[in-house]
Amino acid sequence: MKALLLLLAQLCSASLVPEREKDPEYWRGQAQETLRAALRLQRLNQNVAKNLILFLGDGMGVSTVTAARILKGQLQNRKGEESLLEMDKFPYVALAKTYNTNAQVPDSAGTATAYLCGVKANEGTVGVSAGVTRDRCNTTKGQEVTSILRWAKDGGKSVGIVTTTRVTHATPSAAYAHSANRDWYSDGEMPPDALEGGCKDIARQLVENIPDIEVILGGGRKYMFPKNASDVEYPHEEKHRGTRLDRRDLVQAWREAKPPGKVAKYVWHRRELLALNLSRVDFLLGECRHPRVPQRQTERGCWGAQRGVLGCDGERCRGLAGGRIDHGHHEGKAKQALHEAVELDRAIGLAARLTSPQDTLSVVTADHSHVFTFGGYTPRGNPIFGLAPMQSDVDRKPFTSILYGNGPGYKIVAGERENVSAVDFAHANYQAQSAVPLRQETHGGEDVAVFARGPMAHLLHGVHEQNYIPHAMAYAACIGSNRAHCSAAARPAASVLLPFLALLFLLH
């Protein structure tokens, strides 16, 4: 019987291997093609970048990238491991060190300041130097640092921010705001001493600091309206009401700040966006409510993606983003996090098809990682949300391949680890088991990947401090302070695409 079981196991194992992969020539041929492609990269693309696109997957650590790759393949009815993400096709890859100036494991505010403003900062602060202490408004003055979005605007470029989180969230806010606290979304969230000290809330800075951002799409509209003002979509829900103590309508202020003769459109729903003739719109502000992780996997943020890479016409490409990879991981809901990563990858592929690597520098990275992992000696093609092939040799219970180092998935039933075979571990809201109980899973401290394609992409190589990223991108586009290498003839009108927080999510 034992011999029969061993034979069956060997036959089962053999069936996991695609027939072509049994031939050594398959692997040799693949390696040779990869080598030829690598040799072609010796001819460096040193063009001036007309467009910049930054795709930022919030919380998209390397383990998330790998698991998302497998999920993408399995959604296409393949084994998954051999599939390629769109970002995998980028020819240059680097690692970025994500620590904040005062934190070994970083937060999204300090990291956003690094990869957007080119300066490392303290955790919880956005758009300011490490001379600013979190929560202390009086440390802010004179410590403001500007972002690559501002450098591009000063260079006469078109710019845009699109996110699947609130537009005042830490990740996009570092593009335009300077704040001692990432949570000062409106003046209604600020303490009296900060208001008395003259510090401005982040929503106000969105409207006032750089009033000519061409495209702003995201969530969190309640921070733009007077306290207790009813929401346009959910008038009877208190949690969606306005929060502003100054009673200002910042959407109206945004409109009034536009030059005469320019068309500025505000939309709050996907159908309004789809109805626009974008060629006749100079400025676009779209704000939906701010849901957390979507209730169903078909819901991909309130702006969806049928319009493709919004407004990309060769001269005025704008950026897009998505940030709920992070939210999914924090809640221990790996299925939601990984589906969000696959959606991000779809956006990257669409942008690649609509632009040329000859004049567009595209960069894909993450602000930080998470304590997310998958393992357990799973066989080839094992469902990414499935069980490991064996039971624990300690408690004799099965376990899922995906696990977290800490988080809300820690459960003890009758004094023992929960038996996952008794629950629906494939459900979208399943919280994977964790080693340490926490209400919210934490970030991870390891380096994150940086994928690059286009002019000067080779500048992103090896291991870098995270704040190096915008300096390399600015060099490629001849914007900012480092322009000594740029001749007048080599500096075409460019635009910057700043998709933030998990990356350009397709509008569908």
Side-chain angles (χ1 to χ4, degrees), residues 164 289-302 323-325 327-328 331 333 335-337 339-340 343 427-429 505:
T164 56
R289 71 184 180 92
H290 173 58
R292 292 290 287 177
V293 177
Q295 293 299 307
R296 56 187 186 275
Q297 287 303 318
T298 56
E299 187 179 335
R300 294 296 171 213
C302 47
R324 292 190 291 185
I325 299 169
H327 294 167
E331 295 181 15
K333 298 176 180 178
K335 191 165 192 176
Q336 297 189 358
H339 275 276
E340 291 295 324
E343 287 298 305
H427 193 277
N429 287 321
F505 271 66

Side-chain angles (χ1 to χ4, degrees), residues 449-477:
V450 186
F451 304 87
R453 169 186 182 263
M456 295 293 178
H458 55 277
L459 297 179
L460 291 161
H461 65 283
V463 180
H464 302 296
E465 294 286 359
Q466 194 171 36
N467 66 290
Y468 168 73
I469 294 171
H471 292 283
M473 295 181 72
Y475 182 94

Side-chain angles (χ1 to χ4, degrees), residues 387-403:
L387 295 172
M390 72 284 204
Q391 295 182 344
S392 164
D393 57 4
V394 176
D395 65 11
R396 305 299 176 185
K397 292 180 181 178
F399 60 97
T400 55
S401 172
I402 285 175
L403 298 167

Side-chain angles (χ1 to χ4, degrees), residues 220-250:
R221 61 176 174 250
K222 68 180 182 179
Y223 305 112
M224 307 288 281
F225 295 102
K227 187 173 178 63
N228 292 326
S230 295
D231 181 73
V232 64
E233 189 175 8
Y234 303 97
H236 304 298
E237 295 189 28
E238 185 175 350
K239 64 182 178 180
H240 296 308
R241 291 177 183 171
T243 65
R244 301 201 62 77
L245 300 178
D246 60 10
R247 312 300 299 174
R248 293 183 66 190
D249 180 337
L250 292 185

